[in-house]
Amino acid sequence: MTQQDPQPLDQSVFGSPAAAPPVQPKKGSVAGSAIREIIETLVLAGIIFLAVRMVVLNFRVDGESMLPNMHNEEMLLVNRNAYRGVDLGPLDDLLPGKDNRASDGRFYPFDPPQRGDVIVFDPPTDSSKPYIKRIIGLPGEEVTFNKGRVIINGVELDEPYIDQDTRCGGNGRCDVVVEPGTVFVLGDNRGNSSDSRVFGLVPVGNIIGKAWVTYWPVPDFGFVPHKDYPGIPETSMSADDSRVLQPAASPTAGDYGDERQKKDRQKKEKDRQDNAAGTPAT
């Protein structure tokens, strides 16, 4: 009796094994997952937006006071923390970066206000709009004018970035010594600018921030250049100067006068936060 090989089963008779039916997700769970993802995305976007607004604010150049370097309707990002100082205390001797410390030992991650910085600030006038100008005189320096030129401590300021003479009307603000805690500012368009020649010195506490990036129009996109003055030695910030270098977002009554002025500053700050289209700066 011979052994026969087993015959394969005829699948057409017995049929193939039935596949398990796919599990269909419940409609409620799909909708809930989508809503949760949308909420998470919105919350994350809100956190990023608030974090960015804590660092920068957007402003729109309003007018021609900064020609030929900044034009009307130009859009800027302003670094509101550029002049924030940190008191290191006992860590002062342990950390590098001595050049970024003022005489009171405060550390400035960037720099204290420097000559050539373009700043946005609340002017010491009744104007409700911030101004945009360039820092020319620092605390302790004597600022005068002669033959269409700016003179700092007896040395003529070299300003190749302007295209006209600088005149001053002799109103008592044309021969000044910059007081502690203030700066002397000028617009680049010297023939059409309301600046320290008109309203006097600007308290450092009034500075909203340093112009950082131009983002509109597109051909002008880039960092706002800082102007250097190699012929003029920089004046060191004193303890009296650096103590007022506080963020403009949290003014104190001592920096800006009485309680009413403080509330006005806080209202302006809130308006700037709410104005996503860019606050105009004259």
Side-chain angles (χ1 to χ4, degrees):
M1 188 173 183
T2 61
Q3 185 176 2
Q4 295 181 349
D5 294 334
Q7 298 296 320
L9 295 177
D10 188 352
Q11 297 295 332
S12 62
V13 176
F14 294 96
S16 59
V23 178
Q24 296 292 334
K26 296 181 179 179
K27 293 184 178 180
S29 64
V30 173
S33 177
I35 293 174
R36 184 172 61 253
E37 289 182 1
I38 293 174
I39 293 175
E40 290 175 350
T41 301
L42 292 176
V43 170
L44 180 59
I47 293 174
I48 294 174
F49 176 79
L50 292 176
V52 170
R53 299 292 282 185
M54 290 178 64
V55 178
V56 297
L57 292 172
N58 56 323
F59 285 84
R60 184 180 72 255
V61 177
D62 184 17
E64 300 179 345
S65 72
M66 289 299 290
L67 288 174
N69 300 294
M70 290 184 174
H71 302 84
N72 186 40
E73 300 296 323
E74 188 168 322
M75 301 294 291
L76 304 170
L77 293 179
V78 172
N79 185 348
R80 62 188 304 184
N81 293 313
Y83 303 135
R84 181 188 291 270
V86 179
D87 186 2
L88 296 177
L91 298 177
D92 181 53
D93 294 330
L94 302 178
L95 297 177
K98 293 289 184 180
D99 292 342
N100 285 1
R101 287 161 172 74
S103 57
D104 66 343
R106 292 177 67 85
F107 172 74
Y108 295 92
F110 301 97
D111 286 298
Q114 293 183 325
R115 188 183 351 273
D117 288 352
V118 176
I119 59 171
V120 175
F121 60 95
D122 287 320
T125 67
D126 294 332
S127 174
S128 61
K129 293 196 303 183
Y131 281 17
I132 180 167
K133 308 294 175 187
R134 190 181 302 277
I135 294 178
I136 296 297
L138 297 171
E141 294 180 338
E142 182 184 24
V143 181
T144 59
F145 301 86
N146 185 37
K147 297 180 179 179
R149 295 287 190 166
V150 180
I151 311 298
I152 303 292
N153 291 340
V155 181
E156 184 179 296
L157 197 66
D158 183 21
E159 297 184 278
Y161 52 86
I162 63 174
D163 55 13
Q164 55 186 297
D165 290 343
T166 305
R167 307 293 181 182
C168 194
N171 55 4
R173 298 189 175 97
C174 299
D175 187 357
V176 298
V177 174
V178 184
E179 299 175 0
T182 66
V183 291
F184 189 97
V185 300
L186 293 174
D188 289 350
N189 187 0
R190 299 296 163 79
N192 185 23
S193 174
S194 177
D195 45 42
S196 287
R197 295 171 295 175
V198 176
F199 51 70
L201 302 174
V202 176
V204 178
N206 281 35
I207 296 176
I208 297 167
K210 176 181 177 181
W212 183 33
V213 172
T214 295
Y215 67 90
W216 186 264
V218 174
D220 293 336
F221 179 83
F223 289 103
V224 176
H226 171 84
K227 305 301 182 182
D228 294 318
Y229 308 86
I232 308 290
E234 294 290 343
T235 301
S236 300
M237 301 289 287
S238 68
D240 288 338
D241 302 327
S242 58
R243 68 180 173 82
V244 298
L245 295 179
Q246 304 298 329
S250 55
T252 63
D255 289 334
Y256 309 112
D258 58 22
E259 190 67 23
R260 181 178 178 181
Q261 288 175 319
K262 176 183 177 181
K263 291 180 179 179
D264 289 343
R265 285 281 304 189
Q266 291 172 337
K267 182 179 183 302
K268 290 179 182 178
E269 176 65 23
K270 184 178 184 300
D271 292 341
R272 283 192 285 267
Q273 293 280 7
D274 295 340
N275 190 353
T279 304
T282 302

